[in-house]
């Protein structure tokens, strides 16, 4: 439940309390469907941008489907000699013409998709017009994609909350408390590092995502899951959010 869909919930001792859901995820480049399921399922979504950047991860790359199979789109990042750099500080390496390469690859792969013409011009404008900050590129794309999907969840940056690092689990709890959360919706990977007992002691409910990937219309043969959400958007258009949420 969330404050958006069910403002009052029955709590212990026969009293009512407001359920306020928060999700926290690191920003990704053109994220997959599960990212937007989390975003759509909470009241406030935190872009976790003041933690260490990890190479060869989803922060700067994602996958699309082409006539020749799955292809990675990778944004080159300036990481040499920058160990421990935070996500918010990572700069893009524009010595390589990756922007036009990505757009050409996307155009080649999806030009025949039913809704390509509706969405590609804005995607092109964002990719060509963004600066050299990887976080700002990802944030611009995430905000645009959320808007096209019809997701109205409030998005904030963890770096703007000024919450000190008190440990992996405790910092998430502190973020939730500052935002007034009573419910924390975490990604499946969180099971590997979050101490659930700490959340239970804090009085904040926690649930881990168990996303059932939908099957939808795609180009080029057999269905391939876990691609960038643009694969869904170009193929299904206005129905995309219903598909993401399993409706």
């Amino acid at each position: 439940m969330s404050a958006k869909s069910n403002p009052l919930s029955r709590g212990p001792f026969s009293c009512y309390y407001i359920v306020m859901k928060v999700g926290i995820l690191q920003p990704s480049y053109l994220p997959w469907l599960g990212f937007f399921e989390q975003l759509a399922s909470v009241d406030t979504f935190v872009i976790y941008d003041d933690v260490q950047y990890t190479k060869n991860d989803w922060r700067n790359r994602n996958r699309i489907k082409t006539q020749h199979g799955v292809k990675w789109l990778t944004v080159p990042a300036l990481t040499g000699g920058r160990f421990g750099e935070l996500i918010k500080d990572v700069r893009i390496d524009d010595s390589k013409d990756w922007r036009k390469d990505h757009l050409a690859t996307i155009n080649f792969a999806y030009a025949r998709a039913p809704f390509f013409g509706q969405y590609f011009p804005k995607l092109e404008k964002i990719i060509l017009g963004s600066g050299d900050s990887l976080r700002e590129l990802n944030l611009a794309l995430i905000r645009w994609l959320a808007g096209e999907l019809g997701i109205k969840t409030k998005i904030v940056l963890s770096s703007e909350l000024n919450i000190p690092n008190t440990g992996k689990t405790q910092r998430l709890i502190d973020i939730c408390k500052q935002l007034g959360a009573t419910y924390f919706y975490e990604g499946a990977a969180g099971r590997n590092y979050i101490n659930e007992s700490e959340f239970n002691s804090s009085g904040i409910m926690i649930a881990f995502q168990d996303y059932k990937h939908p099957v939808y219309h795609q180009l080029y043969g057999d269905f391939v899951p876990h691609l960038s959400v643009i694969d869904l958007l170009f193929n299904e258009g206005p129905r995309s959010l219903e598909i993401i949420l399993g409706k």
Side-chain angles (χ1 to χ4, degrees), residues 36 48 67 97 119 135 166 201 217 225 244:
F36 290 97
Y48 211 22
Q67 296 95 319
D97 198 7
Y119 301 111
R135 179 192 66 175
T166 51
S201 299
H217 169 73
I244 288 172

Side-chain angles (χ1 to χ4, degrees), residues 8-48:
L8 294 179
S9 296
R10 177 72 69 177
F13 312 115
S14 298
C15 61
Y16 285 97
Y17 65 96
I18 295 177
V19 176
M20 212 291 270
K21 278 187 172 184
V22 164
I24 304 172
L25 278 180
Q26 296 179 27
S28 298
Y29 179 61
L30 298 173
W32 77 300
L33 278 61
F35 183 100
F36 290 97
E37 191 275 338
Q38 282 184 261
L39 176 58
S41 299
V42 298
D43 302 290
T44 301
F45 188 82
V46 180
I47 297 291
Y48 211 22

Side-chain angles (χ1 to χ4, degrees), residues 9 55 65 96 104 118 123 145-146 160 166 184 189 220:
S9 296
K55 291 183 180 180
K65 187 180 182 185
K96 305 169 184 178
Q118 181 174 334
L123 174 65
L145 288 164
E160 296 179 348
T166 51
F184 177 48
Y220 318 123

Side-chain angles (χ1 to χ4, degrees), residues 135-189:
R135 179 192 66 175
E136 295 308 310
L137 168 65
N138 288 344
L139 187 58
L141 289 169
I142 288 167
R143 290 188 185 279
W144 169 67
L145 288 164
E148 296 293 353
L149 291 167
I151 299 172
K152 298 180 181 180
T153 299
K154 180 181 179 181
I155 297 176
V156 300
L157 299 175
S158 60
S159 59
E160 296 179 348
L161 299 176
N162 298 314
I163 295 176
N165 189 354
T166 51
K168 287 184 177 180
T169 299
Q170 187 57 51
R171 189 162 192 250
L172 295 175
I173 292 171
D174 292 341
I175 290 173
C176 287
K177 286 184 174 179
Q178 180 160 321
L179 295 173
T182 55
Y183 190 107
F184 177 48
Y185 186 36
E186 169 65 343

Side-chain angles (χ1 to χ4, degrees), residues 124-137:
E124 180 180 42
K125 184 177 180 180
I126 293 172
I127 289 179
L128 291 178
S130 65
D132 69 346
S133 166
L134 180 62
R135 179 192 66 175
E136 295 308 310
L137 168 65

